[in-house]
Amino acid sequence: MNNAEHIDDIIIIGAGPTGLFAAFYGGMREISVKIIDSLPQTGGQMMALYPEKYIYDVAGWPKVSAKELTHQLEEQARQFDPAICLEENVQNVQKLEERLFKITTTKTVHYAKTVLITSGAGAFQPRRLKLEAADYYEGKNLFYSVSDLQVLKGHRVCISGGGDSAVDWALMLSDIAEETTLVHRRNQFRAHEQSVRQLHETNVQIKTPMAINGLNGTDDRIESVALKEPKGDNAEILDIDSLLVNHGFLSNIGAIKEWGLELTKNSIVVNQKMETNIPGIYAAGDITTYDGKVKLIATGFGEAPVAVSQAKHYIDPKSKIQPPHSTRVLGGA
């Protein structure tokens, strides 16, 4: 390595919520931070796929849009001027010696004393509707995410899916769309209980157990969807203006598989210190797994300070793992 090369205390791979909060916390612990992400903006999956959707499980926020949460996290992190490198895909992480890592991206090479992986589910794409003509209508009036809900104002919107995202979209569109219909192939939804209770209190039409098995339309748009009971004979035609499909996402952690980390089902195995099997490499957020793991943004916010504090101690064994309270660090009484 050229002696002129800059060495950061910690490089964070992933600029989603956990990565941004870890960058802020690195500043709190007075270590130099660089964030690298393959996307053109910070915020990770939530900004790429559902910037307008509300998030309900972040402490201190009754509800907050993904866009606003990202803005606040980035503003918080930028207090300490971390370097943020976007549109760089990390290809390899190599340990050169104790407290020295070489991080090779599609653009350049970076060096750091420690590495924190907060890349969420990795590269992702929505599970697409497996129907003839679905590809043709994609982007016309068949959507897998919506960046501006006002586009659907006054529309008859059909939402297909039964998880948190589908239920949340239905709740948000209930006051914007002319008519909102939620279609799910099972009677039970895979969403937070509170959200399901709220759903039943809205004007959203619920079609269960039903699935979309046909698209009817013109060259320009879908005009109706054919619904059928998966294990029965009930069927109907639903007239719509827009179709929003939320069947989950396919994820791929890509090059991470080649870095020598212990993995289980595309997740990085960590201990209670957020340490991986390679000393000096830590992980936090949805990319990690351990006994009792709950994959929530709030969980990542708790894991990030643990990982950063452990990284600081790894860099300087004389430093304290337990930090002072933030009121003291930021000048409070």
Side-chain angles (χ1 to χ4, degrees):
M1 188 189 89
N2 190 318
N3 289 332
E5 293 282 2
H6 177 72
I7 304 174
D8 292 287
D9 288 328
I10 186 168
I11 281 182
I12 299 171
I13 301 174
T18 301
L20 288 172
F21 188 65
F24 158 75
Y25 203 76
M28 292 282 285
R29 295 308 307 268
E30 296 190 330
I31 59 178
S32 61
V33 175
K34 180 182 289 180
I35 313 174
I36 303 173
D37 198 287
S38 61
L39 295 173
Q41 74 281 320
T42 62
Q45 178 176 317
M46 65 181 190
M47 275 298 287
L49 298 175
Y50 49 88
E52 290 289 337
K53 192 169 80 68
Y54 284 127
I55 298 166
Y56 298 95
D57 52 9
V58 178
W61 298 80
K63 64 179 181 179
V64 59
S65 71
K67 184 186 297 183
E68 176 63 13
L69 179 59
T70 298
H71 172 76
Q72 293 292 337
L73 285 166
E74 186 171 327
E75 182 177 332
Q76 184 183 41
R78 286 192 183 278
Q79 294 178 85
F80 300 106
D81 297 318
I84 300 179
C85 304
L86 300 175
E87 296 185 273
E88 283 193 47
N89 191 9
V90 176
Q91 301 292 297
N92 190 40
V93 174
Q94 180 184 2
K95 188 170 186 176
L96 301 179
E97 58 187 64
E98 205 64 27
R99 302 178 185 83
L100 182 60
F101 292 86
K102 178 182 179 181
I103 297 90
T104 305
T105 75
T106 47
K107 288 186 176 181
T108 188
V109 173
H110 306 268
Y111 295 92
K113 298 174 185 176
T114 61
V115 175
L116 172 56
I117 304 171
T118 59
S119 53
F124 49 85
Q125 59 179 334
R127 293 182 185 274
R128 284 175 160 74
L129 193 61
K130 295 180 180 179
L131 288 176
E132 186 177 353
D135 289 347
Y136 176 77
Y137 287 117
E138 186 175 331
K140 292 183 170 68
N141 66 336
L142 188 161
F143 308 101
Y144 294 97
S145 65
V146 181
S147 59
D148 182 3
L149 286 178
Q150 294 306 311
V151 170
L152 303 178
K153 184 177 177 63
H155 284 210
R156 296 167 299 173
V157 181
C158 175
I159 302 170
S160 178
D164 277 308
S165 288
V167 172
D168 287 348
W169 281 122
L171 290 172
M172 294 179 68
L173 286 167
S174 63
D175 293 328
I176 296 175
E178 177 183 331
E179 183 179 282
T180 304
T181 304
L182 181 58
V183 176
H184 183 40
R185 62 186 302 107
R186 298 181 180 85
N187 284 317
Q188 291 76 35
F189 292 97
R190 296 172 287 104
H192 281 85
E193 295 86 347
Q194 171 72 2
S195 298
V196 175
R197 183 186 64 77
Q198 289 179 326
L199 176 68
H200 286 286
E201 295 173 354
T202 68
N203 59 3
V204 174
Q205 297 184 59
I206 300 173
K207 304 282 188 180
T208 62
M210 298 290 273
I212 297 174
N213 74 338
L215 304 176
N216 310 308
T218 65
D219 288 343
D220 298 323
R221 57 194 297 276
I222 301 169
E223 294 184 327
S224 66
V225 293
L227 306 180
K228 187 179 183 305
E229 191 177 7
K231 296 182 180 180
D233 298 324
N234 291 333
E236 63 178 286
I237 299 296
L238 179 69
D239 293 331
I240 66 167
D241 297 309
S242 297
L243 174 60
L244 181 55
V245 178
N246 288 122
H247 292 173
F249 302 95
L250 298 169
S251 61
N252 184 352
I253 62 173
I256 292 177
K257 295 178 180 179
E258 311 301 322
W259 299 350
L261 297 162
E262 182 183 353
L263 304 173
T264 296
K265 296 180 179 179
N266 280 342
S267 295
I268 300 172
V269 177
V270 296
N271 61 19
Q272 63 187 15
K273 299 178 181 180
M274 300 296 112
E275 296 171 325
T276 69
N277 60 304
I278 300 177
I281 299 184
Y282 303 83
D286 284 355
I287 191 65
T288 67
T289 185
Y290 50 81
D291 188 33
K293 171 76 176 190
V294 177
K295 293 194 175 186
L296 293 173
I297 291 174
T299 305
F301 288 162
E303 293 169 351
V306 176
V308 169
S309 295
Q310 292 294 334
K312 179 179 175 67
H313 184 68
Y314 175 81
I315 295 168
D316 178 11
K318 294 181 180 179
S319 67
K320 293 182 179 180
I321 294 175
Q322 178 62 50
H325 295 296
S326 61
T327 49
R328 289 170 56 193
V329 174
L330 296 179

